[in-house]
Amino acid sequence: MKNIRGKVLETMEKREQLGSRLGFIMLSAGCAIGCGNVWKFPWMCGQNGGGSFMLVYVICLLILGLPAMVMELSVGRAAQTSPLYMYEKLSGKRKWKIPGIVCLIGNIALIAFYSVVAGWIIYYFVKFLTGQNADLGFEKMITTPSINVGYLLITVVITFVILSFRLQGGLERITKYMMSALLVLMLVLAIHSFTLSGAKDGLAFYLIPDFSKISGTMIVKAMNQAFFTLSVGMGGMAIFGSYIGKERSLLGESVNIIVLDTFVAVVAGMIMFPACDTYNLEVTAGPSLLFDTMASVFNHMQGGRWWGALFFLFMVFAAMSTVLGVCENLLAMIRELTGWSRPVGCIACGIGTFLVALTTALGYSLIRFQPFAKGTAWLDLWDFIVSNNAMPLGSLILALFCCTRRGWGWNNFLQEANAGKGLKIKAWMKPLFCYFVPVVILFIYIYGMFTFPWH
């Protein structure tokens, strides 16, 4: 044990750093921006009232997501270690090791389905690029083991080959290029959607709230989506906080990340909903909205093969930016636990990721499992662990850790968060961080458990 602990401490002392502020913002935003924005957000929005869900979601981002992100970045930067050890290191108390273990479990659950969804997106991109898009179908894809396992393997190999290089030369450089390309592609596709005949009605449904559709269940879903899309509560932001210096205050950096994240989510809907209205497609399709609905749109469109290839290329960039972020988090925790080098850690984490994700990849064919209501599968179980439990509870733990003497304490948190240039946390914000955020998260979490469709 002493030998392993020594290796962990040595890894901490030689901690890699990001090369620039832009790299940090792009990496953090890239981890936040992903399938949560461009796959999950549009269908959640479609199923929960369009503009009303959008309004509640944005409110949750500002009053719950923003404080949670500032706290997580602060803990990561102060600890200069992975989420596995950050609570224990800052508090000096062994009982705070448990939240670190929860972070590890949460990230494993997240990559268990996220890597498979990323593989689906790569598959659709390849099919459109090669002109084999006429007979694509979501149901057909998810029930074909060879497609799921093959593209999962491609996703895992690409991810850990990139991560095997040093932080600045691998993850930071690739993410900068991917995020820049993603933003350009989104704008091109959004402008194209505005020219469709159903643009006006589609955007009206998406952007104008209908207050009669706001309910307790919808608020729970909006909060869970806010945490999911920001990747807070499980150390997703903390790991990047540990790779930066103290030149900039963390409230300002958090605002930059959330603005980018929200921009991508909003524009993703602007691409999809005008298309749905134009071609009379169902906006409440659920997880298949991205695949069946958008594939149908492109198949009926002049030059649809190339528009589809462009759309799914943008989706590949969005999905892979988050896969890279989550796997970097896992890699950092495993390396500090074992003392392995980056290449060795990548091999071990790659094999582990592939094996765990096989549950989702084969969950609609060879390893069928129905954890909740009829029609649910392994993906729903992993998503329940992450979105309904690990992220909101992790954010609650963060608030308690940063605001109470039993943890790190408000003064220590404030000093770290406000270090550097930029927006500062003011004294009047303390009740928001210390009382409002934890109470609201706890209330919505309990309500969500009681109203969850277990059967």
Side-chain angles (χ1 to χ4, degrees):
M1 284 295 293
K2 287 183 179 179
N3 189 35
I4 292 175
R5 189 65 178 171
K7 289 181 179 178
V8 170
L9 292 172
E10 185 180 345
T11 304
M12 292 178 185
E13 290 170 7
K14 295 180 179 179
R15 190 155 202 82
E16 296 173 271
Q17 294 285 304
L18 294 170
S20 65
R21 182 189 177 204
L22 177 63
F24 163 69
I25 293 174
M26 286 296 198
L27 265 177
S28 302
C31 184
I33 294 167
C35 295
N37 301 73
V38 294
W39 169 60
K40 192 175 180 183
F41 176 75
W43 67 257
M44 290 282 287
C45 202
Q47 286 188 333
N48 293 281
S52 0
F53 182 85
M54 166 79 81
L55 176 64
V56 177
Y57 167 75
V58 170
I59 292 171
C60 287
L61 280 178
L62 293 175
I63 65 174
L64 299 175
L66 180 58
M69 178 170 285
V70 176
M71 288 187 282
E72 188 164 316
L73 287 173
S74 299
V75 171
R77 187 169 74 172
Q80 289 291 292
T81 183
S82 79
L84 190 63
Y85 291 107
M86 64 186 186
Y87 292 103
E88 183 184 11
K89 182 179 178 182
L90 292 180
S91 67
K93 300 170 185 175
R94 289 189 62 83
K95 66 180 180 181
W96 281 102
K97 189 173 185 178
I98 296 173
I101 296 171
V102 172
C103 284
L104 177 59
I105 295 170
N107 277 275
I108 291 171
L110 178 56
I111 205 62
F113 73 91
Y114 216 106
S115 54
V116 176
V117 176
W120 294 344
I121 293 168
I122 295 173
Y123 171 72
Y124 263 63
F125 167 66
V126 170
K127 288 296 181 181
F128 269 95
L129 188 65
T130 56
Q132 303 175 59
N133 49 294
D135 61 343
L136 281 174
F138 183 70
E139 186 72 23
K140 178 182 176 182
M141 175 183 68
I142 65 175
T143 54
T144 305
S146 58
I147 293 174
N148 283 266
V149 175
Y151 280 87
L152 166 63
L153 182 61
I154 289 170
T155 303
V156 171
V157 170
I158 291 172
T159 299
F160 286 100
V161 166
I162 292 171
L163 293 181
S164 66
F165 295 95
R166 290 189 63 81
L167 188 65
Q168 291 184 24
L171 181 60
E172 183 176 357
R173 177 184 294 178
I174 293 295
T175 304
K176 278 183 184 178
Y177 292 141
M178 282 203 308
M179 287 297 296
S180 301
L182 184 151
L183 295 174
V184 171
L185 287 173
M186 286 204 76
L187 290 174
V188 171
L189 289 163
I191 292 170
H192 178 264
S193 283
F194 293 161
T195 66
L196 298 175
S197 60
K200 183 179 178 181
D201 291 338
L203 291 174
F205 166 79
Y206 180 51
L207 299 176
I208 299 174
D210 178 354
F211 293 101
S212 66
K213 293 183 179 178
I214 297 177
S215 65
T217 301
M218 192 254 269
I219 293 171
V220 171
K221 291 179 179 179
M223 182 195 75
N224 291 342
Q225 176 63 18
F227 289 137
F228 184 86
T229 192
L230 293 179
S231 297
V232 293
M234 300 194 314
M237 291 296 111
I239 191 63
F240 298 121
S242 74
Y243 292 147
I244 59 171
K246 299 181 186 290
E247 293 81 12
R248 306 290 304 190
S249 63
L250 295 175
L251 178 60
E253 302 300 78
S254 298
V255 169
N256 290 333
I257 295 166
I258 287 177
V259 166
L260 264 178
D261 178 81
T262 307
F263 170 80
V264 170
V266 171
V267 175
M270 289 180 174
I271 294 169
M272 292 189 194
F273 288 106
C276 289
D277 200 88
T278 300
Y279 297 99
N280 296 315
L281 297 168
E282 188 56 64
V283 297
T284 59
S288 65
L289 174 65
L290 171 67
F291 298 98
D292 280 346
T293 304
M294 292 309 295
S296 180
V297 166
F298 294 125
N299 285 339
H300 287 86
M301 186 186 294
Q302 187 174 1
R305 170 190 169 185
W306 301 111
W307 282 110
L310 198 63
F311 175 79
F312 283 103
L313 176 62
F314 131 67
M315 287 294 307
V316 168
F317 288 155
M320 288 305 297
S321 65
T322 299
V323 170
L324 285 164
V326 175
C327 288
E328 173 63 26
N329 202 4
L330 275 171
L331 178 62
M333 288 190 273
I334 296 300
R335 286 182 66 202
E336 290 188 356
L337 190 64
T338 61
W340 289 337
S341 66
R342 182 172 278 272
V344 172
C346 282
I347 293 171
C349 287
I351 293 171
T353 296
F354 179 74
L355 292 176
V356 171
L358 280 177
T359 55
T360 304
L362 300 176
Y364 300 94
S365 54
L366 301 180
I367 315 178
R368 289 187 179 273
F369 173 53
Q370 192 166 280
F372 307 121
K374 185 178 180 181
T376 56
W378 277 99
L379 185 150
D380 301 283
L381 175 63
W382 293 125
D383 186 38
F384 173 76
I385 293 171
V386 174
S387 301
N388 295 67
N389 290 278
M391 285 183 164
L393 290 178
S395 298
L396 176 62
I397 291 169
L398 265 172
L400 297 175
F401 182 74
C402 290
C403 297
T404 64
R405 293 179 182 178
R406 292 173 180 258
W408 192 28
W410 173 258
N411 291 334
N412 289 325
F413 158 67
L414 193 65
Q415 183 179 358
E416 181 62 43
N418 285 345
K421 300 177 183 177
L423 293 175
K424 311 287 185 184
I425 296 173
K426 307 297 183 182
W428 62 265
M429 297 180 186
K430 184 175 180 179
L432 173 67
F433 281 78
C434 296
Y435 306 109
F436 181 80
V437 170
V439 168
V440 170
I441 291 174
L442 183 60
F443 175 79
I444 296 177
Y445 172 76
I446 293 172
Y447 181 88
M449 288 295 105
F450 275 105
T451 56
F452 185 80
W454 299 98
H455 302 293

